[in-house]
């Protein structure tokens, strides 16, 4: 049902309304909301607003009849003015907090781009100056892990990856970040987390010897192509053999990261008891990222569906503790998931705080606000909750353009150190 225009004297608590003014012209958090009490109605009048639009589908009641105009409640100007000032201050505080959050994300994105650039340099040196590649990778790992361990208040952010095609760099860094988060959640030592991070960065380096046409093919691989791709574990070990001081734990991960608990993996068909514990961490992170980034568009899964798929269909393939920890710190709705909220608004999950995973930060679609100033709601602070996930292709074009759900899901983290 379409929205209905009514005069403000017909308002009563329980009506879901949309204000006909810009977001910065009123003290309320949203342009659309459910009227809670008479004080809210007085505030709307105090702003000089003469009419609003109601959404009958989201309202708990009907508007008052037009005849009630003469029975308007007596205004309380002083109390209303005080309430308006209080709401304006809360809104201003929220805008300042939002600005601080955006600055934090910008810094995090700079760190991500810097790490991606360093990862690119490492991969380029693998063939030419392998000794330097190991040293540079170790330094990159030390810098990232030290940041991860510097504070308990770690926030996992959705990143704006600029390129769609540098697959091996994005994938390796992504797997490394997710694997580190699992390792941290398992309370592994700093040295063990660094081993996991290093191995994750190099787990797919054998793919540099696989033809690009196979790596980027957007249709189902033929059996010979699948067999060629599977050789990347063998090629990775061959490259590692020519790199002095290459960690043994990373060699093991290169060899085993496609082994599965039920013995159906490759190249050795190992079962759970024979698969290295650190490899089991990397394998879960690798599986999650691969589900999100299949070359075949129809097989790409949004983060929410990828996690659900792993949980429902793959418990027998991966270590259940690691899988549980992945779901735990990602939250039910991981960054990158488009969600519908309990007030019927739609948004994009953009970050999850490790200490408060049930209440992620959500960027809200609000056409009355420029996208660069779009409200970002910390669900822990609001009486809102996520109702369900929404497939991006089900969104209207204007909503999809505003929220900009990524075809490439990349993560990085920061902490409040």
């Amino acid at each position: 049902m379409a929205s209905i225009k009514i005069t403000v004297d017909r308002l009563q608590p329980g009506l879901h309304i949309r204000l006909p003014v810009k977001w910065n012209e009123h003290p309320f958090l949203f342009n659309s909301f459910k009227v809670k009490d008479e004080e809210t109605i007085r505030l709307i009048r105090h702003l000089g607003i003469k009419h609003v639009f109601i959404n009958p589908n989201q309202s708990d009641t009907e508007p008052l009849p037009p005849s009630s105009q003469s029975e308007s409640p007596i205004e309380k100007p002083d109390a209303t003015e005080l309430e308006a000032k209080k709401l304006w201050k809360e809104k201003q505080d929220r805008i300042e907090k939002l600005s601080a959050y955006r600055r934090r994300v910008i810094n995090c994105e700079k760190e991500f781009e810097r790490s991606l650039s360093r990862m690119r340099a490492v991969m380029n040196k693998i063939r030419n100056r392998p000794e330097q590649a190991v040293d540079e990778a170790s330094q990159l790992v030390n810098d990232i892990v030290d940041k991860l361990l510097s504070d308990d208040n770690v926030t996992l952010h959705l990143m704006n990856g600029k390129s769609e095609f540098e697959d091996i760099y994005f994938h390796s860094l992504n797997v490394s970040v997710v694997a580190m988060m699992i390792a941290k959640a398992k309370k592994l030592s700093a040295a063990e987390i660094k081993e996991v991070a290093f191995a994750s960065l190099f787990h797919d380096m054998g793919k540099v010897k696989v033809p690009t046409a196979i790596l980027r093919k957007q249709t189902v691989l033929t059996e010979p192509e699948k067999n060629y791709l599977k050789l990347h574990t063998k090629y990775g070990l061959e490259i590692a053999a020519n790199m002095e001081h290459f960690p043994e734990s990373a060699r093991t991960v290169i060899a085993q990261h496609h082994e599965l608990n039920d013995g159906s993996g490759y190249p050795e068909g190992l079962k759970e008891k024979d698969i290295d514990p650190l490899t089991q961490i990397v394998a879960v992170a690798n599986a999650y990222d691969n589900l999100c980034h299949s070359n075949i568009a129809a097989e790409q899964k949004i983060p929410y569906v990828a996690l659900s798929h792993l949980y429902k269909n793959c418990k027998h393939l991966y270590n259940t503790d690691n899988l549980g920890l992945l779901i735990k710190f990602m939250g039910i709705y991981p960054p990158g998931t488009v969600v519908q909220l309990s007030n019927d608004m739609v948004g994009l999950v953009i970050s999850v705080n490790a200490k408060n995973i049930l209440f992620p930060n959500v960027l809200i679609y609000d056409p009355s606000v420029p996208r660069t100033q779009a409200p970002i709601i910390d669900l822990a602070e609001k009486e809102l909750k996520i109702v369900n996930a929404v497939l991006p292709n089900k969104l209207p074009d204007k909503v999809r353009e505003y929220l900009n759900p990524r075809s490439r899901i990349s993560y990085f983290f920061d902490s409040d150190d």
Side-chain angles (χ1 to χ4, degrees), residues 343-359:
N343 65 352
D344 272 5
M345 284 186 147
V346 176
L348 180 74
V349 178
I350 55 171
S351 64
V352 176
N353 188 291
K355 282 193 166 178
N356 217 353
I357 56 152
L358 292 177
F359 302 101

Side-chain angles (χ1 to χ4, degrees), residues 26 90 100 126 153 162 218 285 290-291 305 313-314 363-364:
H26 64 78
E90 285 176 2
I126 279 175
N153 205 30
K162 305 293 188 292
Q218 295 182 350
N290 282 336
L291 284 171
V305 174
N313 305 315
C314 303
L363 182 132
I364 302 294

Side-chain angles (χ1 to χ4, degrees), residues 151-201:
D151 189 86
D152 277 343
N153 205 30
V154 175
T155 300
L156 190 70
H157 296 279
L158 178 68
M159 292 287 98
N160 266 321
K162 305 293 188 292
S163 169
E164 293 289 319
F165 296 108
E166 292 177 300
D167 304 300
I168 195 166
Y169 311 124
F170 278 104
H171 174 66
S172 297
L173 185 57
N174 229 22
V175 172
S176 192
V177 167
V178 174
M180 279 188 277
M181 295 289 282
I182 296 173
K184 184 176 190 287
K186 286 178 81 78
K187 299 188 170 18
L188 298 190
S189 68
E192 288 173 311
I193 295 175
K194 286 176 181 178
E195 283 188 78
V196 166
F198 189 100
S200 300
L201 289 179

Side-chain angles (χ1 to χ4, degrees), residues 108-381:
C108 188
E109 288 191 337
K110 285 178 182 173
E111 284 287 329
F112 169 73
E113 289 295 335
R114 206 162 20 238
S115 297
L116 202 56
S117 177
R118 291 170 72 181
M119 179 68 200
R120 195 179 297 123
V122 166
M123 296 301 284
N124 287 339
K125 284 180 179 172
I126 279 175
R127 285 178 174 167
N128 304 327
R129 295 186 293 278
E131 181 58 47
Q132 277 185 274
V134 173
D135 291 342
E136 286 192 22
S138 297
Q139 190 55 54
L140 171 59
V141 164
N142 286 337
D143 292 346
I144 294 176
V145 174
D146 288 346
K147 184 170 184 61
L148 176 68
L149 298 178
S150 63
D151 189 86
D152 277 343
N153 205 30
V154 175
T155 300
L156 190 70
H157 296 279
L158 178 68
M159 292 287 98
N160 266 321
K162 305 293 188 292
S163 169
E164 293 289 319
F165 296 108
E166 292 177 300
D167 304 300
I168 195 166
Y169 311 124
F170 278 104
H171 174 66
S172 297
L173 185 57
N174 229 22
V175 172
S176 192
V177 167
V178 174
M180 279 188 277
M181 295 289 282
I182 296 173
K184 184 176 190 287
K186 286 178 81 78
K187 299 188 170 18
L188 298 190
S189 68
E192 288 173 311
I193 295 175
K194 286 176 181 178
E195 283 188 78
V196 166
F198 189 100
S200 300
L201 289 179
F202 282 104
H203 78 283
D204 264 350
M205 71 176 177
K207 284 184 177 177
V208 299
K209 290 190 174 184
V210 177
T212 305
I214 291 178
L215 294 177
R216 294 191 183 162
K217 188 177 178 186
Q218 295 182 350
T219 53
V220 177
L221 297 180
T222 64
E223 281 306 311
E225 287 170 336
K226 285 179 186 175
N227 291 333
Y228 204 145
L229 181 60
K230 286 180 179 180
L231 290 173
H232 77 276
T233 56
K234 174 176 173 284
Y235 294 151
L237 290 175
E238 288 173 358
I239 295 169
N242 294 319
M243 298 169 74
E244 196 177 350
H245 306 309
F246 194 87
E248 195 57 41
S249 57
R251 293 177 205 266
T252 303
V253 169
I254 290 171
Q256 297 184 1
H257 69 277
H258 282 289
E259 300 288 0
L260 300 170
N261 283 358
D262 65 353
S264 64
Y266 67 88
E268 301 293 336
L270 301 179
K271 293 203 170 181
E272 180 172 13
K273 61 183 175 55
D274 301 314
I275 302 172
D276 168 68
L278 295 188
T279 304
Q280 291 184 23
I281 293 173
V282 178
V284 167
N286 186 49
Y288 172 71
D289 198 63
N290 282 336
L291 284 171
C292 291
H293 298 123
S294 170
N295 285 348
I296 303 169
E299 292 183 4
Q300 287 177 1
K301 294 180 176 13
I302 61 171
Y304 166 76
V305 174
L307 271 191
S308 299
H309 176 82
L310 285 173
Y311 183 73
K312 291 175 185 173
N313 305 315
C314 303
K315 284 183 183 174
H316 63 297
L317 302 179
Y318 302 102
N319 179 284
T320 50
D321 288 343
N322 295 337
L323 188 50
L325 288 169
L326 171 67
I327 293 166
K328 185 177 178 184
F329 73 72
M330 280 286 187
I332 304 300
Y333 303 97
T337 306
V338 178
V339 294
Q340 182 182 357
L341 300 179
S342 51
N343 65 352
D344 272 5
M345 284 186 147
V346 176
L348 180 74
V349 178
I350 55 171
S351 64
V352 176
N353 188 291
K355 282 193 166 178
N356 217 353
I357 56 152
L358 292 177
F359 302 101
N361 287 305
V362 179
L363 182 132
I364 302 294
Y365 168 68
D366 187 339
S368 66
V369 183
R371 190 192 185 281
T372 53
Q373 298 164 30
I376 295 173
I377 305 301
D378 180 350
L379 293 186
E381 296 179 357

